[in-house]
Coordinates of all heavy atoms in Angstrom, one line a residue:
Chain P
Q2 N -4.6 0.0 -10.7 CA -3.5 -0.9 -10.6 C -2.7 -1.0 -11.9 O -3.2 -1.3 -12.9 CB -4.0 -2.3 -10.2 CG -4.6 -2.3 -8.8 CD -5.0 -3.7 -8.4 OE1 -5.0 -4.6 -9.2 NE2 -5.4 -3.8 -7.1
Q33 N 9.0 -0.6 -5.9 CA 9.2 -1.0 -4.5 C 8.4 -2.3 -4.3 O 7.4 -2.6 -5.0 CB 8.6 0.0 -3.5 CG 9.2 1.4 -3.7 CD 8.5 2.4 -2.8 OE1 8.4 2.2 -1.6 NE2 8.2 3.6 -3.4
Y35 N 6.6 -4.5 -1.1 CA 6.0 -4.4 0.3 C 5.5 -5.8 0.7 O 5.1 -6.6 -0.2 CB 4.9 -3.4 0.3 CG 5.2 -1.9 0.3 CD1 5.6 -1.4 -0.9 CD2 5.2 -1.1 1.4 CE1 5.9 0.0 -1.0 CE2 5.5 0.2 1.3 CZ 5.9 0.8 0.1 OH 6.2 2.1 0.1
Q37 N 2.8 -7.7 3.4 CA 1.6 -7.5 4.3 C 1.3 -8.9 5.0 O 0.9 -9.8 4.3 CB 0.4 -7.1 3.5 CG -0.8 -6.8 4.4 CD -2.0 -6.3 3.7 OE1 -2.3 -6.7 2.5 NE2 -2.8 -5.5 4.3
G42 N -0.9 -3.8 8.3 CA -0.6 -2.9 7.3 C 0.6 -3.4 6.4 O 1.3 -4.3 6.8
L43 N 0.9 -2.7 5.4 CA 2.0 -3.0 4.5 C 3.3 -2.5 5.0 O 3.3 -1.4 5.6 CB 1.7 -2.5 3.1 CG 0.7 -3.2 2.2 CD1 -0.7 -2.9 2.6 CD2 1.0 -2.9 0.7
L48 N 13.5 -1.1 -2.3 CA 13.3 -0.2 -3.4 C 14.4 -0.3 -4.4 O 15.6 -0.4 -4.1 CB 13.1 1.3 -2.9 CG 12.9 2.4 -4.0 CD1 12.1 3.5 -3.3 CD2 14.2 2.9 -4.6
R50 N 15.8 1.5 -8.1 CA 15.6 2.6 -9.0 C 15.6 2.2 -10.4 O 16.1 1.1 -10.7 CB 16.7 3.7 -8.7 CG 16.7 4.2 -7.3 CD 17.8 5.1 -7.0 NE 18.1 5.3 -5.6 CZ 19.1 6.0 -5.1 NH1 19.9 6.6 -6.0 NH2 19.3 6.0 -3.8
N97 N 3.9 12.6 -9.1 CA 3.9 13.5 -8.0 C 3.8 12.6 -6.7 O 3.0 13.0 -5.8 CB 2.8 14.5 -8.1 CG 1.5 13.8 -8.5 OD1 1.4 12.6 -8.6 ND2 0.5 14.6 -8.7
Y98 N 4.5 11.6 -6.6 CA 4.7 10.8 -5.4 C 3.7 9.6 -5.3 O 3.8 8.8 -4.5 CB 4.5 11.7 -4.1 CG 5.2 11.1 -2.9 CD1 6.5 11.3 -2.6 CD2 4.5 10.2 -2.0 CE1 7.1 10.8 -1.5 CE2 5.1 9.7 -0.9 CZ 6.4 10.0 -0.6 OH 7.0 9.5 0.5
L100 N 2.0 6.1 -5.7 CA 2.4 4.8 -6.0 C 1.2 4.1 -6.7 O 0.1 4.2 -6.4 CB 2.7 4.0 -4.7 CG 4.0 4.4 -4.0 CD1 4.2 3.6 -2.7 CD2 5.2 4.3 -4.9
W102 N -0.1 0.3 -7.5 CA 0.0 -1.0 -6.8 C -0.4 -2.1 -7.7 O -1.3 -2.0 -8.5 CB -0.8 -1.0 -5.5 CG -0.3 0.0 -4.5 CD1 -0.7 1.3 -4.4 CD2 0.6 -0.2 -3.5 NE1 0.0 1.9 -3.4 CE2 0.7 1.0 -2.8 CE3 1.3 -1.3 -3.0 CZ2 1.6 1.1 -1.7 CZ3 2.1 -1.2 -1.9 CH2 2.3 0.0 -1.3
Chain C
F33 N -1.7 9.5 2.8 CA -2.5 8.7 1.8 C -3.6 8.0 2.6 O -3.3 7.4 3.6 CB -1.6 7.7 1.1 CG -0.4 8.3 0.4 CD1 0.7 8.6 1.1 CD2 -0.5 8.6 -1.0 CE1 1.8 9.2 0.5 CE2 0.6 9.2 -1.6 CZ 1.8 9.4 -0.9
Y35 N -6.0 4.7 1.8 CA -6.3 3.6 0.9 C -7.4 2.7 1.5 O -7.7 2.7 2.7 CB -5.0 2.6 0.9 CG -3.8 3.1 0.2 CD1 -2.8 3.8 0.9 CD2 -3.6 3.0 -1.2 CE1 -1.7 4.2 0.3 CE2 -2.5 3.4 -1.8 CZ -1.5 4.0 -1.1 OH -0.4 4.5 -1.7
Q37 N -8.8 -1.4 1.1 CA -8.4 -2.7 0.6 C -9.5 -3.7 0.8 O -10.1 -3.8 1.9 CB -7.2 -3.3 1.4 CG -6.6 -4.6 0.8 CD -5.4 -5.0 1.5 OE1 -5.3 -4.9 2.7 NE2 -4.4 -5.6 0.8
Y48 N -4.9 11.6 -1.5 CA -3.7 11.9 -0.8 C -3.5 13.4 -0.6 O -4.0 14.2 -1.4 CB -2.5 11.2 -1.4 CG -1.9 11.7 -2.6 CD1 -0.8 12.6 -2.5 CD2 -2.3 11.4 -3.9 CE1 -0.2 13.1 -3.7 CE2 -1.7 11.8 -5.0 CZ -0.6 12.7 -4.9 OH 0.0 13.2 -6.1
F91 N -6.6 1.9 5.2 CA -5.3 2.2 5.6 C -4.9 3.7 5.4 O -5.3 4.3 4.4 CB -4.2 1.4 4.8 CG -4.3 -0.1 5.2 CD1 -4.9 -1.0 4.3 CD2 -3.7 -0.6 6.3 CE1 -4.9 -2.4 4.6 CE2 -3.7 -1.9 6.7 CZ -4.3 -2.8 5.8
G95 N 4.4 9.7 4.2 CA 5.7 9.6 3.5 C 6.3 11.0 3.5 O 5.7 12.0 3.7
D96 N 7.6 11.0 3.1 CA 8.4 12.2 3.1 C 9.3 12.1 1.8 O 10.1 11.2 1.8 CB 9.2 12.3 4.4 CG 10.2 13.4 4.3 OD1 10.1 14.3 3.4 OD2 11.1 13.5 5.2
Y101 N 12.8 8.3 -1.6 CA 12.2 8.0 -2.9 C 10.9 7.4 -2.8 O 10.6 6.3 -3.3 CB 13.2 7.1 -3.7 CG 14.5 7.7 -4.1 CD1 15.6 7.6 -3.3 CD2 14.5 8.5 -5.2 CE1 16.8 8.2 -3.6 CE2 15.7 9.1 -5.6 CZ 16.8 9.0 -4.8 OH 18.0 9.6 -5.1
N102 N 10.0 8.0 -2.1 CA 8.6 7.6 -2.1 C 8.2 6.5 -1.3 O 7.1 5.9 -1.4 CB 8.1 7.4 -3.6 CG 8.4 8.5 -4.5 OD1 9.6 8.6 -4.9 ND2 7.5 9.3 -4.9
E103 N 9.0 6.0 -0.4 CA 8.6 4.9 0.5 C 7.5 5.4 1.3 O 7.5 6.6 1.8 CB 9.8 4.5 1.4 CG 9.4 3.5 2.5 CD 10.6 3.2 3.4 OE1 11.7 3.6 3.1 OE2 10.3 2.5 4.4
Q104 N 6.5 4.6 1.5 CA 5.3 4.9 2.3 C 5.3 4.0 3.6 O 5.6 2.8 3.5 CB 4.0 4.7 1.5 CG 4.0 5.7 0.4 CD 2.7 5.7 -0.4 OE1 1.7 5.1 0.1 NE2 2.6 6.3 -1.6
F106 N 2.9 2.6 6.5 CA 1.4 2.3 6.7 C 1.1 2.1 8.1 O 1.9 1.6 8.9 CB 1.1 1.0 6.0 CG 0.9 1.1 4.5 CD1 1.9 1.3 3.6 CD2 -0.4 1.1 3.9 CE1 1.8 1.5 2.3 CE2 -0.6 1.3 2.6 CZ 0.5 1.4 1.7

Side-chain angles (χ1 to χ4, degrees):
Chain P
Q2 291 187 350
Q33 304 178 49
Y35 286 75
Q37 183 179 32
L43 283 77
L48 178 150
R50 301 176 200 176
N97 48 5
Y98 203 90
L100 290 179
W102 295 87
Chain C
F33 304 81
Y35 290 94
Q37 187 178 39
Y48 78 95
F91 289 103
D96 171 11
Y101 294 92
N102 309 76
E103 176 183 348
Q104 294 184 13
F106 280 74

